[in-house]
Amino acid sequence: MDKNRAIMELRRMPKTIKADAQTWTRLVANGLVRMQFYAKIFEKPNTRRTTDKRVRKHIRKALRNILEILGHIQQRTEYMWKRVRLFKDDEELKHHCINCELTTSKLHDFLQFLKMRYDYEWEVKEMVVLELESLNNDGDVDIDIDNDILLAAWRDNRHAGGYEFDAKLKKFFKTANIAET
């Protein structure tokens, strides 16, 4: 293993984590806006028949794209976690200080936490998108209930958000000496 290359990779990871966390938050919020719009389309009984199917199709496509990007972030986080886990097997890299306070072990622990949270939230978002795609919007009596449940699932099942997650993220940014934005 090329130790210099590994050290450079370790130094880049905190910035990648920050960019991915910001993108994740933005995309989930964007998806929520689209879910709310999708649910509003079906609030009025007459709207169901007159609403252009292209709008519904566009929203579902946008949510699929959001899910795809979230999947890339999830996979990149898992890749970084596996790389750091590999680096921890090397005695020299195991205790390497990426900066004053951030060690390889601390980075590994945070990536494990992040990976787990992203995995959980991605599964919920995937379930919502797949269910939206499978709904039969023409004449489905339970469409209002389904939309409410799906909207609530997207909005309320935040594993990569909330107080605990944000606190850990802020602590990591402070430890990694990365300014928050």
Side-chain angles (χ1 to χ4, degrees):
M1 175 184 322
D2 183 5
K3 300 212 188 312
N4 288 331
R5 188 172 179 201
I7 289 170
M8 292 302 294
E9 190 174 344
L10 285 167
R11 287 187 179 152
R12 281 191 305 266
M13 284 183 187
K15 290 179 182 174
T16 302
I17 291 168
K18 179 183 179 187
D20 284 350
Q22 290 172 334
T23 301
W24 186 281
T25 302
R26 188 184 78 249
L27 287 173
V28 169
N30 187 340
L32 178 59
V33 169
R34 290 175 189 274
M35 285 294 301
Q36 289 169 333
F37 182 72
Y38 191 89
K40 280 188 179 194
I41 289 174
F42 297 99
E43 279 182 352
K44 299 174 187 164
N46 293 337
T47 309
R48 286 186 202 148
R49 292 184 186 96
T50 60
T51 301
D52 189 0
K53 289 183 181 182
R54 289 180 294 164
V55 172
R56 291 181 298 208
K57 185 177 178 181
H58 174 73
I59 292 171
R60 281 185 282 212
K61 183 179 178 186
L63 289 170
R64 273 193 311 274
N65 290 340
I66 288 170
L67 183 67
E68 184 179 331
I69 296 168
L70 293 177
H72 291 307
I73 293 171
Q74 175 194 26
Q75 291 167 356
R76 188 172 29 251
T77 302
E78 182 174 1
Y79 175 79
M80 287 188 291
W81 174 70
K82 287 179 179 179
R83 293 290 292 166
V84 173
R85 190 174 66 186
L86 178 69
F87 298 156
K88 278 181 60 175
D89 291 341
D90 184 285
E91 281 303 314
E92 202 175 307
L93 292 173
K94 184 177 189 175
H95 302 292
H96 176 72
C97 289
I98 298 165
N99 67 28
C100 308
E101 297 179 39
L102 185 62
T103 63
T104 304
S105 294
K106 285 182 182 178
L107 179 60
H108 176 266
D109 293 344
F110 183 74
L111 280 167
Q112 186 173 16
F113 165 79
L114 201 57
K115 176 193 166 308
M116 187 174 67
R117 291 298 187 97
Y118 283 167
D119 287 349
Y120 293 152
E121 186 161 346
W122 188 85
E123 287 179 17
V124 171
K125 304 307 186 219
E126 180 188 37
M127 181 273 310
V128 169
V129 171
L130 291 175
E131 187 62 27
L132 273 177
E133 290 176 351
S134 71
L135 283 177
N136 179 6
N137 293 332
D138 297 329
D140 191 344
V141 178
D142 295 330
I143 193 75
D144 292 331
I145 296 169
D146 288 340
N147 281 331
D148 291 342
I149 291 170
L150 294 176
L151 178 60
W154 188 283
R155 180 187 58 232
D156 300 338
N157 291 305
R158 293 295 318 272
H159 296 282
Y163 177 75
E164 178 191 5
F165 181 84
D166 291 343
K168 282 197 178 225
L169 203 58
K170 285 179 184 179
K171 183 179 177 185
F172 173 76
F173 290 157
K174 184 178 178 184
T175 302
N177 203 18
I178 297 175
E180 295 177 54
T181 54

